[in-house]
Amino acid sequence: AQENPRTVIFWRVVGRITKGWRQIGVSEGAGLPGMPLPLSKEEKATALFFLVKFFFVPVMLNFLFANLSALVPTTHTLLTAAPSEYLERNRLFYFAILNFMLVVDTGFFLLGYLFEFAAWRNDLRSVESTIFGWIVTLCCYPPFNGFVTQGIGWGSSDFSVFPSPVASLVTICVSLVLFGVYTWATVALGLKASNLTNRGTITTGPYGYVRHPAYVCKNLHWLVMGLPLIAVNWLAALSIAGWAMIYFLRAITEERHLLADPQYQAYCKEVPYRFIPNVI
């Protein structure tokens, strides 16, 4: 079988870097230059792309299995022994639907990180090259999101309960609709799903209305689930605002990266709104 050209480039980069460091060790006493030659643009992109893979593939595998392990018992309980208590039954329905959508989301991203084929139109075009772009992205994933949470807190909840059963039901429905749009955005990306990379511009699905539908819906989902906490603790609102700022910075840095692509430039003219249609 023919070897993936990206893999060949990666091992060439590893070989050059390894050789360069060996030369540094030898040249320290001889006064000889030992640094490897500067990497080409393609070699830098390949090295960064594999760094993306090495970080996100284990993270997505962990997310996928965690979501599956939560989905299976919840669904089994609903199908075999659904509780008669109203709130508990709604909670199980909520988590069954939510975990199913999370399985779909993490499954698509895992495939996107693992595979790159021109025939699937998800071949790499470029990789985010700025430290700031990497920082604001990694802040949202373990283990780094734990450090951010220690700093700005976490003002939302996995499942919020209101004093009124009607308010609780409405909140659940709104939350699931928001997360449904978030999942729709992932499905629209398909095998192009991948952080910190340009794998081609998507204009279908929710991306036909705004340029960052997933970020908007995820943050609104957190806001809706955090309303009971915000009502009793204003620090919860600041925490949610802090996370929203991180995702705003992610959107800005992603666009700075993607705007080097003429296809994305044309997309921005076609879809001028980042977050809310006809507003901003």
Side-chain angles (χ1 to χ4, degrees), residues 208-230:
Y209 303 96
V210 292
R211 302 202 294 267
H212 302 283
Y215 292 169
V216 172
C217 289
K218 178 181 280 190
N219 279 272
L220 288 177
H221 163 80
W222 289 337
L223 176 61
V224 169
M225 285 290 104
L227 287 176
L229 294 175
I230 293 172

Side-chain angles (χ1 to χ4, degrees), residues 165-245:
V166 175
S168 295
L169 181 60
V170 170
T171 302
I172 290 172
C173 292
V174 171
S175 175
L176 289 177
V177 168
L178 289 169
F179 218 87
V181 176
Y182 170 85
T183 307
W184 181 25
T186 298
V187 173
L189 287 174
L191 294 176
K192 296 179 189 284
S194 173
N195 284 301
L196 297 168
T197 60
N198 178 9
R199 313 282 287 276
T201 302
I202 297 296
T203 61
T204 57
Y207 292 97
Y209 303 96
V210 292
R211 302 202 294 267
H212 302 283
Y215 292 169
V216 172
C217 289
K218 178 181 280 190
N219 279 272
L220 288 177
H221 163 80
W222 289 337
L223 176 61
V224 169
M225 285 290 104
L227 287 176
L229 294 175
I230 293 172
V232 297
N233 185 0
W234 62 271
L235 290 176
L238 289 180
S239 174
I240 292 176
W243 283 102
M245 177 56 67

